[in-house]
């Protein structure tokens, strides 16, 4: 059959391209299908400090390109297209993209994760009009303005710090009474004079007149609600796995992650899940690349027994 | 066709007075999602001669960016006969960008 590969990898982040390097070196025909460009979430950070081998840090976009080049050197092909449907049961698995159909004897799912949205009415409509998910990208449009950061983890803390250098005032809204962010963030945040904390609180509404004009926050302890006028809301409340495509075919847990243990095997034979989409305790680049090597091992075992 | 870098000076001629539909990409070098979209937009320029593809660097052209009300990048605008007919923010795959057009 035309367009048939030993291994089709969906997603070209670190997990996808590491799987590709190992599978291609094992002399399998390998196709990576990536809808945007290589690197995945890594592209959103210009300074990765905890990927071994780069004592001065490394730009995520560059690292993604290098991973792609490394995989292509051993014969991996890349298709830039969005996967819009899959049929994973059966010996030959069908992958439908915006640019045609492809067939894999095995499939590695490496679709990673995206920003979690608050899920408030009007949130989607206001993206680019005061609602933002990337402080590094959009912070400069709020120079001298007042913004809120919603969230309490590392990325919310990092966003609040970054924005405090650009904006007049930053209001950090978190639903608990203390931040979940690592200690390293606490004292710089406390020191920043223009950062105000609104704790034990959730955002109940984004107020707007075509563009964002404020938020309504609700204190979970007192039940009190109040409006805060501001120009922008940066939402930094974690990630959601990109697994909508696979619902109904693969076992997925209550949070949307594909259920697979350290072997990366899913409940469907010949289908593997690697990186941030998989159930696992730590979602980082090093753990994503680790999964890639493991998946290739079990792909090899699977294809040998076909 | 190659991608045209648009600034305040050539904006009127290249975008407003264009006889082809125009896709304008507002971007910056330090924005990850912009860097993801950039090669896709280049590919569209190559494959679709009927579309004029323009890029605006928001660092250099803050005035154009604020004229378009850009508050998030990458921002894509479709302009036909001088009027914005569609727009989107964030990194989109090629098929979805083509749908905007
Ligand atoms: C701002 C930020 C900073 C970070 N900093 C660090 C850090 O310093 N150190 C660290 O170790 N980790 C960091 N992380 C986490 C790290 O980036 C992720 O753990 C890692 O990228 C996960 O890799 P992945 O390959 O599983 O998924 P992703 O990187 O999410 O890649 C998934 C890829 O799949 C593609 N895709 C999704 N759906 C489809 C589809 N339907 N069709 C085709 N392609 C599709 C996506 O476009 C994407 O390129 C950071 C994350 C973010 C967001």
């Amino acid at each position: 059959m035309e367009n048939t590969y030993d291994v089709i990898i969906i997603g070209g982040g670190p997990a996808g391209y590491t799987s590709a390097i190992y599978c291609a070196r094992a002399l399998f025909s390998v196709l990576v299908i990536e809808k945007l460009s290589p690197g995945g979430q890594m592209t959103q950070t210009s300074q990765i400090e905890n990927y071994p081998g780069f004592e001065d840090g490394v730009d995520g976009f560059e690292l993604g390109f290098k991973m792609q080049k490394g995989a292509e050197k051993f014969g991996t092909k890349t298709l830039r297209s969005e996967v819009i449907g899959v049929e994973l049961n059966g010996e030959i698995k069908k992958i439908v993209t915006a640019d045609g159909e492809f067939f894999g004897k095995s499939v590695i799912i490496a679709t990673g994760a995206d920003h979690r949205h608050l899920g408030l009415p009007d949130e989607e409509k206001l993206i680019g009009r005061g609602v933002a998910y990337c402080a590094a990208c959009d912070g400069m449009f709020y120079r001298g303005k007042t913004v809120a950061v919603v969230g309490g983890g590392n990325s919310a803390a990092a966003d609040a710090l970054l924005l405090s250098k650009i904006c007049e005032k930053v209001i950090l809204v978190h639903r608990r009474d203390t931040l979940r962010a690592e200690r390293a963030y606490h004292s710089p945040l406390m020191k920043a004079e223009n950062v105000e904390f609104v704790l034990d609180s959730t955002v109940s509404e984004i107020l707007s007149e075509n563009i964002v004009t404020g938020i309504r926050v609700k204190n979970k302890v007192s039940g009190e609600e109040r409006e805060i006028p501001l120009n922008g809301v940066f939402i930094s409340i974690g990630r959601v796995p990109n697994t909508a495509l696979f619902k109904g075919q693969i076992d997925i847990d209550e949070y949307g992650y594909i259920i697979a243990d350290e072997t990366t095997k899913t409940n469907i034979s010949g289908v593997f899940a690697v990186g941030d989409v998989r159930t696992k305790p730590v979602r980082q680049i090093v753990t994503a690349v680790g999964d890639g090597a493991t998946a290739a091992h079990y792909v090899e075992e699977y294809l040998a027994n076909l | 066709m190659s991608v045209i870098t648009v600034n305040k000076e050539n904006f009127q001629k290249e975008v407003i007075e264009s006889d082809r539909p125009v896709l304008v990409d507002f971007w910056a070098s330090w924005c990850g999602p912009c860097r993801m979209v950039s090669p896709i937009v280049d590919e569209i320029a190559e494959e679709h001669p009927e579309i004029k593809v323009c890029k605006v660097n928001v660092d250099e052209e803050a005035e154009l960016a604020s004229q378009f009300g850009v508050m998030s990048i990458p921002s894509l605008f479709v302009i036909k006969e001088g009027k914005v007919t569609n727009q989107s923010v964030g990194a989109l795959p090629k098929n979805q960008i083509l749908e905007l057009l």
Side-chain angles (χ1 to χ4, degrees):
Chain A
M1 216 183 315
E2 221 192 312
N3 287 345
T4 302
Y5 292 83
D6 294 324
V7 193
I8 292 186
I9 299 168
I10 310 175
Y17 273 114
T18 307
S19 308
I21 291 173
Y22 277 82
C23 290
R25 280 175 59 89
L27 300 179
F28 293 121
S29 58
V30 181
L31 176 69
V32 174
I33 307 176
E34 164 58 54
K35 65 176 176 176
L36 295 170
S37 72
Q41 294 167 68
M42 294 196 302
T43 59
Q44 297 192 24
T45 172
S46 58
Q47 190 65 3
I48 295 166
E49 307 265 10
N50 52 9
Y51 191 73
F54 299 92
E55 73 278 30
D56 298 322
V58 57
D59 174 33
F61 196 80
E62 295 297 325
L63 186 58
F65 256 100
K66 281 190 168 297
M67 288 183 182
Q68 180 188 38
K69 273 200 194 142
E72 290 181 348
K73 187 173 133 192
F74 296 106
T76 296
K77 289 212 174 98
T78 297
L79 171 75
R80 178 155 43 221
S81 189
E82 183 177 17
V83 173
I84 51 180
V86 292
E87 284 170 30
L88 298 174
N89 282 303
E91 242 176 48
I92 295 288
K93 290 133 194 357
K94 181 159 116 181
I95 308 294
V96 184
T97 76
D99 299 276
E101 292 178 355
F102 297 83
F103 302 89
K105 293 178 191 161
S106 63
V107 169
I108 299 177
I109 299 171
T111 47
D114 262 330
H115 319 282
R116 181 182 294 283
H117 293 195
L118 282 169
L120 291 173
D122 287 354
E123 179 179 354
E124 308 294 314
K125 206 181 76 195
L126 291 166
I127 296 173
R129 293 186 192 162
V131 169
Y133 301 88
C134 175
C137 306
D138 299 342
M140 66 164 278
F141 297 109
Y142 297 87
R143 190 174 298 281
K145 301 203 167 148
T146 297
V147 300
V149 172
V150 185
N154 284 343
S155 67
D159 285 357
L161 268 181
L162 178 98
L163 291 166
S164 72
K165 299 187 179 102
I166 305 169
C167 301
E168 162 93 20
K169 188 172 173 190
V170 177
I171 299 157
L172 188 74
V173 183
H174 183 43
R175 62 195 159 115
R176 299 187 203 287
D177 60 355
T178 46
L179 300 187
R180 202 163 27 82
E182 286 163 14
R183 290 266 148 236
Y185 288 106
H186 290 219
S187 92
L189 268 179
M190 297 298 169
K191 275 196 205 124
E193 281 171 4
N194 58 345
V195 178
E196 182 188 316
F197 295 86
V198 176
L199 300 174
D200 278 325
S201 298
T202 53
V203 178
S204 51
E205 193 182 344
I206 301 171
L207 309 167
S208 63
E209 285 162 26
N210 194 33
I211 60 171
V212 169
T213 56
I215 52 174
R216 179 189 289 278
V217 291
K218 182 172 184 184
N219 186 298
K220 296 207 307 185
V221 180
S222 67
E224 179 212 354
E225 283 203 47
R226 66 185 169 112
E227 289 182 5
I228 305 174
L230 43 70
N231 311 102
V233 191
F234 286 81
I235 297 165
S236 193
I237 52 168
R239 329 235 101 218
V240 262
N242 294 318
T243 51
L245 262 179
F246 313 108
K247 288 222 168 87
Q249 296 191 49
I250 290 192
D251 288 347
I252 287 174
D253 78 0
E254 57 182 308
Y255 305 104
Y257 293 100
I258 296 176
I259 298 173
D261 64 13
E262 288 304 309
T263 65
T264 75
K265 288 180 185 172
T266 69
N267 62 307
I268 301 179
S269 60
V271 179
F272 304 82
V274 294
D276 280 13
V277 278
R278 175 172 85 79
T279 47
K280 54 152 105 176
V282 179
R283 294 193 174 86
Q284 287 280 289
I285 301 161
V286 285
T287 61
V289 301
D291 280 2
T294 309
H297 172 79
Y298 288 103
V299 162
E300 194 165 354
E301 183 186 272
Y302 172 78
L303 291 176
N305 292 318
L306 265 194
Chain B
M1 303 278 273
S2 56
V3 174
I4 296 162
T5 300
V6 165
N7 52 38
K8 226 168 57 193
E9 278 68 49
N10 65 1
F11 176 74
Q12 178 72 19
K13 178 173 153 282
E14 295 290 358
V15 178
I16 299 297
E17 291 166 15
S18 168
D19 47 10
R20 288 177 289 157
V22 189
L23 176 68
V24 186
D25 172 17
F26 287 88
W27 69 286
S29 58
W30 35 262
C31 148
C34 300
R35 290 162 85 184
M36 287 187 105
V37 162
S38 198
I40 299 176
V41 166
D42 294 347
E43 219 171 81
I44 291 175
E46 238 163 72
E47 292 168 2
H48 293 271
E50 75 283 7
I51 296 164
K52 185 191 267 190
V53 177
C54 298
K55 288 190 190 181
V56 179
N57 182 323
V58 297
D59 277 336
E60 288 157 14
E61 301 297 330
E63 213 174 294
L64 275 181
S66 77
Q67 198 178 315
F68 275 78
V70 172
M71 293 168 84
S72 185
I73 48 173
S75 264
L76 297 172
F77 288 83
V78 176
I79 296 162
K80 290 180 181 161
E81 291 169 357
K83 290 199 178 64
V84 175
T85 60
N86 221 339
Q87 67 187 82
S88 82
V89 290
L92 289 183
K94 188 160 81 177
N95 51 314
Q96 290 181 29
I97 297 178
L98 289 173
E99 264 169 39
L100 290 177
L101 287 150

